[in-house]
Amino acid sequence: MRKYFAILLLAFACGLVKGQTVNNTINNDKKNKVMKFELPKLPYATDALAPVIGKQTVELHYGKHLQAYITNLNNLIQGTKFENADLETIVKESDGPIFNNAGQTLNHNIYFLSFSPKGGGEPIGKLGDAITAQFGSFEDFKKEFVAAGVAQFGSGWVWLSKDAEGKLYITKEANAGNPITKGYTPLLGFDVWEHAYYLDYQNRRADHLNELWKIIDWTAVSARY
Ligand code: MN
């Protein structure tokens, strides 16, 4: 009888341990759900943008830098009011390390999905018309955009964005900045952090920015307008 009781006790203890394991699994699943931001899939091979952006730059910039921003963001938002928020809301409402990593996640998501090995040329349709109307010509727009990118002192971005009425803006932003925080919709961003061009162009930022036009996927960019 005492033996039977001991076996019962043992079975009960095992049940408790098992129950705890189940709970841990549920908690892990919950954590995994919070880890929600992921690398966007590139619509081109890592060597497809060369020589404008070399394979090693894409591998490091996309595979290491962007991945690190995403991993940091997923870790930082756990247990905060942002853990179930969408990326744009986080960028608009956060500051400090969460803003830096959310901004860079959004910026690079837009950046890497603005290229195509078959890109280049000029935007047509509504965006092309708006660029010509506001900047005089596509060539004048490119000059102004590159000049803003070159003028950004230190790390940052140059952006083309639009307001609610469709008016276009060229703005330079330091570090993780995105025109979404000014109420604009980002259309195209050139990354002027040195990690974006140093392997291929060293200190020649202007050369890099001028080369980028050859791989711009205007269909993707125009779809944001
Ligand atoms: Mn970058």
CSV table of all heavy atoms in Angstrom, one decimal, residues 61-62 65-66 69 104 107-108 111-112 156-157 191-196, ligand 1:
chain,number,residue,atom,x,y,z
A,61,HIS,N,25.7,44.1,-46.1
A,61,HIS,CA,24.7,45.2,-45.8
A,61,HIS,C,23.3,44.6,-45.5
A,61,HIS,O,22.7,45.0,-44.5
A,61,HIS,CB,24.7,46.1,-47.0
A,61,HIS,CG,24.0,47.5,-46.7
A,61,HIS,ND1,23.8,48.4,-47.7
A,61,HIS,CD2,23.5,48.0,-45.6
A,61,HIS,CE1,23.2,49.5,-47.2
A,61,HIS,NE2,23.0,49.3,-45.9
A,62,TYR,N,22.9,43.7,-46.4
A,62,TYR,CA,21.6,43.0,-46.2
A,62,TYR,C,21.7,41.9,-45.1
A,62,TYR,O,20.9,41.9,-44.2
A,62,TYR,CB,21.1,42.5,-47.6
A,62,TYR,CG,20.0,41.5,-47.5
A,62,TYR,CD1,18.7,42.0,-47.4
A,62,TYR,CD2,20.2,40.1,-47.6
A,62,TYR,CE1,17.6,41.0,-47.4
A,62,TYR,CE2,19.2,39.2,-47.6
A,62,TYR,CZ,17.9,39.7,-47.5
A,62,TYR,OH,16.9,38.8,-47.5
A,65,HIS,N,24.2,43.8,-41.6
A,65,HIS,CA,23.7,45.0,-41.0
A,65,HIS,C,22.2,45.0,-40.8
A,65,HIS,O,21.7,45.3,-39.7
A,65,HIS,CB,24.1,46.2,-41.9
A,65,HIS,CG,25.6,46.5,-41.8
A,65,HIS,ND1,26.1,47.3,-40.8
A,65,HIS,CD2,26.6,46.2,-42.6
A,65,HIS,CE1,27.4,47.4,-41.0
A,65,HIS,NE2,27.8,46.7,-42.1
A,66,LEU,N,21.4,44.8,-41.9
A,66,LEU,CA,20.0,44.8,-41.8
A,66,LEU,C,19.5,43.7,-40.8
A,66,LEU,O,18.6,44.0,-40.0
A,66,LEU,CB,19.3,44.7,-43.2
A,66,LEU,CG,17.8,44.5,-43.2
A,66,LEU,CD1,17.1,45.7,-42.4
A,66,LEU,CD2,17.2,44.5,-44.6
A,69,TYR,N,19.8,45.0,-37.3
A,69,TYR,CA,18.8,45.9,-36.9
A,69,TYR,C,17.5,45.2,-36.6
A,69,TYR,O,16.8,45.6,-35.6
A,69,TYR,CB,18.6,46.9,-38.0
A,69,TYR,CG,19.7,47.9,-38.4
A,69,TYR,CD1,20.1,48.0,-39.7
A,69,TYR,CD2,20.4,48.6,-37.4
A,69,TYR,CE1,21.2,48.9,-40.0
A,69,TYR,CE2,21.4,49.5,-37.7
A,69,TYR,CZ,21.8,49.6,-39.0
A,69,TYR,OH,22.9,50.4,-39.4
A,104,GLN,N,16.0,52.0,-39.0
A,104,GLN,CA,16.9,51.3,-39.9
A,104,GLN,C,16.3,50.1,-40.6
A,104,GLN,O,16.6,49.8,-41.7
A,104,GLN,CB,18.2,51.0,-39.2
A,104,GLN,CG,19.2,52.2,-39.0
A,104,GLN,CD,19.7,52.8,-40.3
A,104,GLN,OE1,18.9,53.4,-41.0
A,104,GLN,NE2,21.0,52.6,-40.5
A,107,ASN,N,14.0,51.7,-43.2
A,107,ASN,CA,14.8,52.3,-44.2
A,107,ASN,C,15.4,51.3,-45.2
A,107,ASN,O,15.3,51.4,-46.4
A,107,ASN,CB,16.0,53.1,-43.6
A,107,ASN,CG,15.5,54.3,-42.8
A,107,ASN,OD1,14.3,54.7,-42.9
A,107,ASN,ND2,16.4,54.9,-42.0
A,108,HIS,N,16.0,50.2,-44.6
A,108,HIS,CA,16.6,49.2,-45.5
A,108,HIS,C,15.6,48.4,-46.2
A,108,HIS,O,15.8,47.9,-47.3
A,108,HIS,CB,17.5,48.4,-44.6
A,108,HIS,CG,18.8,49.1,-44.2
A,108,HIS,ND1,18.9,49.8,-43.1
A,108,HIS,CD2,20.0,49.2,-44.8
A,108,HIS,CE1,20.1,50.4,-43.0
A,108,HIS,NE2,20.8,50.0,-44.0
A,111,TYR,N,14.9,50.5,-49.1
A,111,TYR,CA,16.1,50.6,-49.9
A,111,TYR,C,16.3,49.3,-50.7
A,111,TYR,O,16.5,49.4,-52.0
A,111,TYR,CB,17.3,50.8,-48.9
A,111,TYR,CG,18.7,50.8,-49.5
A,111,TYR,CD1,19.2,51.9,-50.2
A,111,TYR,CD2,19.5,49.7,-49.4
A,111,TYR,CE1,20.5,52.0,-50.7
A,111,TYR,CE2,20.8,49.7,-49.9
A,111,TYR,CZ,21.3,50.9,-50.5
A,111,TYR,OH,22.6,50.9,-51.0
A,112,PHE,N,16.4,48.1,-50.1
A,112,PHE,CA,16.7,46.9,-50.8
A,112,PHE,C,15.6,46.5,-51.8
A,112,PHE,O,15.8,45.7,-52.7
A,112,PHE,CB,17.0,45.8,-49.8
A,112,PHE,CG,18.4,45.9,-49.3
A,112,PHE,CD1,18.6,46.2,-47.9
A,112,PHE,CD2,19.5,45.7,-50.1
A,112,PHE,CE1,19.9,46.3,-47.4
A,112,PHE,CE2,20.8,45.8,-49.6
A,112,PHE,CZ,21.0,46.1,-48.2
A,156,GLY,N,23.7,58.7,-42.7
A,156,GLY,CA,22.3,59.1,-42.8
A,156,GLY,C,21.8,58.6,-44.2
A,156,GLY,O,22.2,57.7,-44.8
A,157,TRP,N,20.7,59.3,-44.6
A,157,TRP,CA,20.0,59.0,-45.8
A,157,TRP,C,19.6,60.2,-46.6
A,157,TRP,O,19.4,61.3,-46.0
A,157,TRP,CB,18.7,58.3,-45.4
A,157,TRP,CG,18.9,56.9,-44.8
A,157,TRP,CD1,19.3,56.7,-43.5
A,157,TRP,CD2,18.8,55.6,-45.4
A,157,TRP,NE1,19.5,55.4,-43.3
A,157,TRP,CE2,19.2,54.7,-44.4
A,157,TRP,CE3,18.5,55.2,-46.7
A,157,TRP,CZ2,19.1,53.3,-44.7
A,157,TRP,CZ3,18.5,53.9,-46.9
A,157,TRP,CH2,18.8,52.9,-45.9
A,191,ASP,N,21.1,55.2,-49.1
A,191,ASP,CA,21.8,55.1,-47.8
A,191,ASP,C,23.2,55.7,-48.0
A,191,ASP,O,23.9,55.3,-48.9
A,191,ASP,CB,21.9,53.5,-47.6
A,191,ASP,CG,22.5,53.2,-46.2
A,191,ASP,OD1,23.1,54.1,-45.6
A,191,ASP,OD2,22.3,52.1,-45.8
A,192,VAL,N,23.5,56.7,-47.2
A,192,VAL,CA,24.8,57.3,-47.3
A,192,VAL,C,25.7,56.9,-46.1
A,192,VAL,O,26.8,57.5,-45.9
A,192,VAL,CB,24.8,58.8,-47.5
A,192,VAL,CG1,24.0,59.2,-48.8
A,192,VAL,CG2,24.2,59.6,-46.3
A,193,TRP,N,25.3,55.9,-45.3
A,193,TRP,CA,26.2,55.3,-44.3
A,193,TRP,C,27.4,54.7,-45.1
A,193,TRP,O,27.2,54.1,-46.2
A,193,TRP,CB,25.5,54.2,-43.5
A,193,TRP,CG,24.6,54.6,-42.5
A,193,TRP,CD1,23.4,55.4,-42.7
A,193,TRP,CD2,24.6,54.3,-41.1
A,193,TRP,NE1,22.8,55.6,-41.5
A,193,TRP,CE2,23.5,54.9,-40.5
A,193,TRP,CE3,25.5,53.6,-40.3
A,193,TRP,CZ2,23.2,54.8,-39.2
A,193,TRP,CZ3,25.2,53.5,-38.9
A,193,TRP,CH2,24.1,54.1,-38.4
A,194,GLU,N,28.6,54.8,-44.6
A,194,GLU,CA,29.7,54.3,-45.3
A,194,GLU,C,29.6,52.8,-45.6
A,194,GLU,O,30.1,52.3,-46.6
A,194,GLU,CB,31.0,54.6,-44.6
A,194,GLU,CG,31.4,56.0,-44.7
A,194,GLU,CD,32.7,56.4,-44.0
A,194,GLU,OE1,33.2,55.6,-43.2
A,194,GLU,OE2,33.2,57.5,-44.3
A,195,HIS,N,28.9,52.0,-44.7
A,195,HIS,CA,28.7,50.6,-45.0
A,195,HIS,C,28.0,50.3,-46.3
A,195,HIS,O,28.1,49.2,-46.8
A,195,HIS,CB,28.1,49.9,-43.8
A,195,HIS,CG,26.6,50.2,-43.5
A,195,HIS,ND1,26.1,50.4,-42.3
A,195,HIS,CD2,25.6,50.4,-44.4
A,195,HIS,CE1,24.8,50.7,-42.4
A,195,HIS,NE2,24.5,50.7,-43.6
A,196,ALA,N,27.3,51.3,-46.8
A,196,ALA,CA,26.6,51.1,-48.1
A,196,ALA,C,27.5,51.1,-49.3
A,196,ALA,O,27.1,50.6,-50.4
A,196,ALA,CB,25.5,52.1,-48.2
B,1,MN,MN,22.6,50.7,-44.4
